[in-house]
Amino acid sequence: MRKVLITGTSSGIGRATAQFLAERGYFVYAGVRQKAHLQIWEGVKNVKAMLFDVRRDDEINQVVEQIKTEAGGLYALVNNAGISNWGPILDIPNEVFRDNLETNLLGPIKVTRAFLPLLNGNSARIINISSVSGKLIFPFMGPYHVAKAALEAFSDTLRRELLINEMRNIKVVVVEPGSVATRLWDRAEATTVFAPSSPFYQTALSVGHAIIKQERAGAFPPELVSRAVWKALSVRRPKGRYIVSPQSLFFKLLLRLPDSWLDRLAYLIMRRHRRP
Ligand SMILES: NC(=O)c1ccc[n+]([C@@H]2O[C@H](COP(=O)([O-])OP(=O)(O)OC[C@H]3O[C@@H](n4cnc5c(N)ncnc54)[C@H](OP(=O)(O)O)[C@@H]3O)[C@@H](O)[C@H]2O)c1
């Protein structure tokens, strides 16, 4: 039975994917960072919860040792845990920016470094859950975009570096969902991390809320992402990246537009949602 570790399985995409893979013959080590969430996976067939925070080296290393002892190795690692913050890029407090990068970028890097020795160099997979936001940039979502764009770069760098050593058959795959119906944006929206003294305050509030509302309205179920992860784990030659969205063609087209057109589009969106 192929063994897969997924981070951030207490809700959303991680939870759906752990369940999806477990039902399709994978054994899932399901990462959760809060003790209270261990019970989510109690009694679920083919799933074992592992308690760790992707920002904590000590907790990551404990889980590495536990899986090494128990299972010997892993077929795949799915870096899914993530958070989102929003606000004007220059007015996000440093500690919020740092927290975002610690979770969304350094977290996957640390986890990958720690678990790489457990992956079989002849056939393993590393799947990084990025986002369409790793490439397509909206105003006032800065920390999230910065972290996901860097995660994309990390993934491509790793894939290419692995080609030149004995781990060449570890496939590194980026999964880029559009808007998914999870708690991610509710959590972000619940906190305003920038001060009223920001010159962008009013615009950021109205535009940020409008974009989040729009994202939520067009959101699709997390199982669509789970299916893409499953495909990337199951096919012999996975692609380097998978855009997951009913609007994937639209995103691909947008990504081909010149920057000046995308700037204009962003301006029109801001103008439409700005309140005096
Ligand atoms: N929702 C979308 O529209 C969307 C679109 C594209 C990509 N994504 C990406 O999909 C991934 C999953 O997000 P989601 O939408 O499923 O949101 P979610 O429901 O909020 O799930 C996030 C998961 O990450 C965990 N997590 C957060 N910080 C962590 C840390 N430091 N250590 C370990 N686990 C941590 C959370 O655990 P707690 O419950 O303990 O906080 C939770 O299990 C993220 O990487 C996100 O960027 C989401």
Side-chain angles (χ1 to χ4, degrees):
M1 193 178 242
R2 284 175 165 173
K3 299 179 181 70
V4 179
L5 170 69
I6 307 176
T7 64
T9 65
S10 69
S11 62
I13 294 170
R15 185 168 178 170
T17 303
Q19 189 73 48
F20 195 93
L21 295 180
E23 286 165 6
R24 283 158 183 80
Y26 286 85
F27 186 88
V28 180
Y29 287 106
V32 293
R33 72 165 161 170
Q34 298 179 50
K35 264 196 182 139
H37 289 153
L38 286 169
Q39 49 84 22
I40 290 173
W41 297 112
E42 264 169 29
V44 179
K45 197 173 163 218
N46 293 338
V47 183
K48 179 168 183 181
M50 307 304 267
L51 186 64
F52 71 105
D53 185 318
V54 299
R55 296 170 301 185
R56 296 276 308 265
D57 288 311
D58 54 339
E59 295 183 7
I60 295 170
N61 291 337
Q62 258 179 15
V63 174
V64 170
E65 286 312 313
Q66 197 181 337
I67 294 181
K68 194 167 31 175
T69 310
E70 250 181 64
L74 284 172
Y75 169 66
L77 164 65
V78 181
N79 283 307
N80 164 77
I83 57 170
S84 176
N85 301 110
W86 65 288
I89 188 102
L90 293 181
D91 298 326
I92 305 275
N94 285 344
E95 61 273 21
V96 175
F97 228 119
R98 196 171 293 122
D99 191 38
N100 206 294
L101 291 171
E102 287 273 352
T103 305
N104 290 339
L105 176 63
L106 282 175
I109 294 175
K110 282 182 188 183
V111 171
T112 302
R113 190 184 289 134
F115 284 96
L116 194 69
L118 264 61
L119 296 176
N120 178 351
N122 287 324
S123 67
R125 309 275 151 104
I126 297 169
I127 315 258
N128 291 331
I129 307 296
S130 176
S131 169
V132 168
S133 302
K135 294 207 187 105
L136 199 57
I137 311 296
F138 289 104
F140 305 124
M141 301 288 154
Y144 189 66
H145 286 305
V146 169
K148 290 298 186 186
L151 182 64
E152 298 266 337
F154 164 65
S155 308
D156 290 345
T157 306
L158 181 65
R159 182 180 333 97
R160 284 161 201 169
E161 287 183 4
L162 289 177
L163 290 176
I164 198 69
N165 73 13
E166 70 279 5
M167 301 216 161
R168 59 178 299 123
N169 286 320
I170 296 182
K171 311 281 188 224
V172 181
V173 176
V174 189
V175 172
E176 300 168 331
S179 301
V180 188
T182 71
R183 294 187 302 170
L184 190 82
W185 294 107
D186 302 338
R187 288 175 172 194
E189 199 182 23
T191 52
T192 302
V193 296
F194 49 102
S197 56
S198 162
F200 296 96
Y201 189 75
Q202 279 306 336
T203 317
L205 272 189
S206 50
V207 174
H209 281 295
I211 291 178
I212 291 173
K213 197 172 155 194
Q214 205 167 307
E215 296 282 310
R216 223 184 263 124
F220 56 83
E223 286 72 20
L224 232 66
V225 185
S226 309
R227 188 167 286 283
V229 171
W230 174 64
K231 185 172 175 191
L233 292 175
S234 311
V235 298
R236 208 160 66 86
R237 289 172 191 270
K239 294 193 287 186
R241 46 180 36 78
Y242 294 84
I243 294 184
V244 185
S245 166
Q247 299 167 312
S248 59
L249 201 62
F250 174 63
F251 287 130
K252 283 178 190 163
L253 284 172
L254 278 182
L255 287 168
R256 286 177 174 267
L257 293 179
D259 286 333
S260 58
W261 289 32
L262 292 172
D263 292 348
R264 180 80 189 152
L265 185 65
Y267 170 74
L268 291 174
I269 292 172
M270 286 190 286
R271 204 178 62 173
R272 180 163 161 232
H273 293 297
R274 184 176 53 185
R275 278 196 301 270

